[in-house]
Amino acid sequence: MANRTILVDNNTWNNTHIATVGRAFSSNEDKAYEIMKQLDVSYVLVWFGGLTGYASDDINKFLWMVRIAGGVFPEIKEPDYFTPNGEFRVDAGGSPVLLNSLMYLTSYYRFGEVMTDYGQPSGFDRVRNAEIGNKGFVLKHLEESYTTEHWLCRIYKVKKESNRNA
Protein backbone atom coordinates (compact mmCIF):
# COMPACT_ATOMS: atom_id res chain seq x y z
CA MET A 1 0.00 0.00 0.00
CA ALA A 2 2.72 2.45 0.94
CA ASN A 3 5.82 0.28 0.55
CA ARG A 4 5.90 -0.36 4.32
CA THR A 5 6.81 -3.57 6.10
CA ILE A 6 4.14 -4.88 8.46
CA LEU A 7 5.59 -6.24 11.72
CA VAL A 8 2.57 -8.28 12.85
CA ASP A 9 -0.33 -9.60 10.82
CA ASN A 10 -2.54 -12.70 10.94
CA ASN A 11 0.23 -14.73 9.33
CA THR A 12 3.05 -13.87 11.73
CA TRP A 13 4.56 -17.10 13.06
CA ASN A 14 7.49 -15.82 15.09
CA ASN A 15 6.25 -15.77 18.71
CA THR A 16 9.22 -13.71 19.95
CA HIS A 17 8.52 -11.08 17.31
CA ILE A 18 4.85 -10.91 18.29
CA ALA A 19 5.87 -10.76 21.96
CA THR A 20 8.23 -7.85 21.24
CA VAL A 21 5.41 -5.85 19.63
CA GLY A 22 3.14 -6.79 22.55
CA ARG A 23 5.87 -5.63 24.93
CA ALA A 24 5.95 -2.25 23.18
CA PHE A 25 2.17 -1.81 23.47
CA SER A 26 2.27 -3.00 27.10
CA SER A 27 4.99 -0.53 28.06
CA ASN A 28 4.85 3.16 28.85
CA GLU A 29 5.66 5.52 25.99
CA ASP A 30 9.36 5.97 26.84
CA LYS A 31 10.03 2.21 27.02
CA ALA A 32 7.89 1.59 23.95
CA TYR A 33 9.87 4.20 22.03
CA GLU A 34 13.10 2.32 22.68
CA ILE A 35 11.50 -0.89 21.41
CA MET A 36 10.09 0.87 18.35
CA LYS A 37 13.55 2.26 17.55
CA GLN A 38 15.04 -1.25 17.76
CA LEU A 39 12.34 -2.51 15.37
CA ASP A 40 12.82 0.49 13.06
CA VAL A 41 9.13 1.40 13.34
CA SER A 42 7.92 4.42 11.39
CA TYR A 43 4.17 4.21 12.05
CA VAL A 44 1.85 2.63 14.61
CA LEU A 45 -1.73 1.66 13.80
CA VAL A 46 -4.44 0.85 16.34
CA TRP A 47 -8.11 -0.06 15.95
CA PHE A 48 -10.32 1.82 18.42
CA GLY A 49 -14.03 1.34 18.94
CA GLY A 50 -14.74 3.62 21.89
CA LEU A 51 -16.51 6.24 19.76
CA THR A 52 -18.61 3.92 17.58
CA GLY A 53 -19.17 1.04 19.96
CA TYR A 54 -17.05 -1.39 17.91
CA ALA A 55 -16.16 -4.02 20.53
CA SER A 56 -13.47 -5.90 18.55
CA ASP A 57 -10.94 -3.11 18.94
CA ASP A 58 -7.35 -3.39 20.14
CA ILE A 59 -8.13 -2.44 23.75
CA ASN A 60 -10.42 -5.47 24.04
CA LYS A 61 -7.70 -7.69 22.54
CA PHE A 62 -4.95 -6.05 24.57
CA LEU A 63 -4.71 -8.65 27.31
CA TRP A 64 -3.69 -11.23 24.67
CA MET A 65 -0.79 -8.94 23.75
CA VAL A 66 0.12 -8.72 27.43
CA ARG A 67 -0.08 -12.51 27.83
CA ILE A 68 2.06 -13.21 24.77
CA ALA A 69 4.61 -10.55 25.76
CA GLY A 70 4.72 -11.86 29.33
CA GLY A 71 5.49 -15.35 28.05
CA VAL A 72 8.76 -14.09 26.56
CA PHE A 73 9.52 -10.99 28.65
CA PRO A 74 9.02 -11.73 32.38
CA GLU A 75 8.85 -8.03 33.30
CA ILE A 76 5.41 -7.89 31.62
CA LYS A 77 2.99 -9.27 34.20
CA GLU A 78 -0.71 -9.57 33.41
CA PRO A 79 -1.90 -8.74 36.97
CA ASP A 80 -0.26 -5.30 36.62
CA TYR A 81 -2.97 -4.34 34.11
CA PHE A 82 -5.82 -5.11 36.52
CA THR A 83 -7.04 -3.30 39.61
CA PRO A 84 -6.31 -4.84 43.03
CA ASN A 85 -9.83 -6.32 42.78
CA GLY A 86 -8.94 -8.04 39.50
CA GLU A 87 -10.87 -5.69 37.22
CA PHE A 88 -9.77 -4.55 33.76
CA ARG A 89 -10.86 -0.91 33.81
CA VAL A 90 -10.10 2.07 31.56
CA ASP A 91 -11.61 4.64 33.91
CA ALA A 92 -9.98 6.55 36.77
CA GLY A 93 -10.03 3.37 38.86
CA GLY A 94 -7.95 1.49 36.30
CA SER A 95 -4.44 0.23 36.86
CA PRO A 96 -1.81 2.98 36.40
CA VAL A 97 0.22 0.51 34.31
CA LEU A 98 -2.73 0.12 31.90
CA LEU A 99 -3.59 3.83 31.88
CA ASN A 100 -0.02 4.68 30.84
CA SER A 101 0.57 1.85 28.37
CA LEU A 102 1.20 2.63 24.72
CA MET A 103 -2.01 0.78 23.82
CA TYR A 104 -4.05 3.01 26.09
CA LEU A 105 -2.28 6.18 24.97
CA THR A 106 -2.64 5.49 21.24
CA SER A 107 -6.27 4.45 21.62
CA TYR A 108 -7.39 7.34 23.81
CA TYR A 109 -5.17 10.21 22.63
CA ARG A 110 -7.43 13.33 22.45
CA PHE A 111 -10.49 11.18 23.21
CA GLY A 112 -10.97 12.97 26.53
CA GLU A 113 -12.07 16.03 24.52
CA VAL A 114 -14.83 14.14 22.67
CA MET A 115 -18.50 14.12 23.68
CA THR A 116 -19.91 10.74 22.67
CA ASP A 117 -23.34 10.58 24.31
CA TYR A 118 -25.80 13.09 25.70
CA GLY A 119 -25.64 13.05 29.47
CA GLN A 120 -22.22 11.42 29.54
CA PRO A 121 -18.92 13.16 30.30
CA SER A 122 -16.34 13.83 27.60
CA GLY A 123 -14.20 10.81 26.91
CA PHE A 124 -17.02 8.32 27.47
CA ASP A 125 -16.05 5.00 25.89
CA ARG A 126 -19.14 3.38 24.37
CA VAL A 127 -17.64 -0.12 24.35
CA ARG A 128 -16.48 -0.22 27.95
CA ASN A 129 -19.28 2.08 29.21
CA ALA A 130 -16.86 4.23 31.15
CA GLU A 131 -15.32 7.69 31.16
CA ILE A 132 -11.63 7.22 30.45
CA GLY A 133 -9.33 7.73 33.39
CA ASN A 134 -6.34 9.36 31.72
CA LYS A 135 -7.28 12.52 29.82
CA GLY A 136 -5.33 15.46 28.48
CA PHE A 137 -2.00 13.69 28.17
CA VAL A 138 0.55 14.69 25.54
CA LEU A 139 2.40 12.16 23.42
CA LYS A 140 6.16 12.60 23.60
CA HIS A 141 7.45 10.20 20.93
CA LEU A 142 4.47 9.83 18.60
CA GLU A 143 2.43 12.27 16.58
CA GLU A 144 -1.04 11.59 15.29
CA SER A 145 -0.90 11.18 11.53
CA TYR A 146 -4.42 10.07 10.73
CA THR A 147 -7.64 9.25 12.53
CA THR A 148 -10.73 8.23 10.59
CA GLU A 149 -13.95 10.20 10.96
CA HIS A 150 -15.34 7.79 13.56
CA TRP A 151 -11.94 7.13 15.18
CA LEU A 152 -11.96 3.45 14.22
CA CYS A 153 -8.48 3.50 12.66
CA ARG A 154 -5.77 5.60 14.27
CA ILE A 155 -2.27 5.98 12.82
CA TYR A 156 0.69 7.60 14.56
CA LYS A 157 4.09 8.54 13.20
CA VAL A 158 7.07 7.73 15.40
CA LYS A 159 9.07 10.92 15.89
CA LYS A 160 12.71 10.85 14.93
CA GLU A 161 15.22 11.06 17.72
CA SER A 162 16.74 14.49 18.17
CA ASN A 163 20.39 14.65 17.16
CA ARG A 164 21.19 16.68 20.23
CA ASN A 165 19.87 17.04 23.74
CA ALA A 166 17.79 20.15 24.20
Side-chain angles (χ1 to χ4, degrees):
M1 190 164 112
N3 198 22
R4 299 277 180 203
T5 301
I6 304 298
L7 292 179
V8 176
D9 61 19
N10 286 334
N11 191 36
T12 304
W13 56 269
N14 184 329
N15 188 60
T16 302
H17 191 73
I18 294 170
T20 303
V21 173
R23 181 180 178 212
F25 275 114
S26 302
S27 300
N28 66 41
E29 190 182 3
D30 288 332
K31 289 180 187 172
Y33 182 62
E34 294 305 316
I35 297 165
M36 289 185 291
K37 286 190 316 186
Q38 290 172 358
L39 294 173
D40 196 27
V41 172
S42 301
Y43 291 90
V44 174
L45 180 146
V46 293
W47 294 104
F48 173 67
L51 181 62
T52 62
Y54 175 68
S56 292
D57 64 359
D58 287 337
I59 289 277
N60 273 356
K61 297 173 185 174
F62 179 55
L63 286 176
W64 283 107
M65 293 183 202
V66 171
R67 289 174 187 138
I68 293 167
V72 175
F73 302 102
E75 72 271 14
I76 305 294
K77 296 174 179 50
E78 186 176 354
D80 293 346
Y81 298 85
F82 291 96
T83 67
N85 294 331
E87 299 168 302
F88 184 76
R89 296 174 54 172
V90 299
D91 61 6
S95 157
V97 175
L98 171 64
L99 270 54
N100 290 292
S101 68
L102 185 67
M103 176 57 70
Y104 189 97
L105 298 177
T106 54
S107 294
Y108 290 118
Y109 179 65
R110 296 189 311 106
F111 190 67
E113 305 163 11
V114 176
M115 295 297 298
T116 57
D117 289 322
Y118 178 77
Q120 295 293 350
S122 65
F124 184 78
D125 183 321
R126 288 177 170 158
V127 173
R128 286 147 287 268
N129 293 314
E131 175 185 2
I132 63 170
N134 186 359
K135 295 182 181 182
F137 56 86
V138 176
L139 294 173
K140 183 174 167 185
H141 302 293
L142 299 171
E143 63 183 42
E144 185 178 16
S145 292
Y146 180 72
T147 295
T148 58
E149 178 182 0
H150 300 291
W151 290 51
L152 190 59
C153 177
R154 310 202 67 198
I155 301 172
Y156 296 88
K157 183 176 184 174
V158 179
K159 293 179 181 177
K160 299 289 184 202
E161 196 169 24
S162 174
N163 65 357
R164 62 186 178 116
N165 292 333

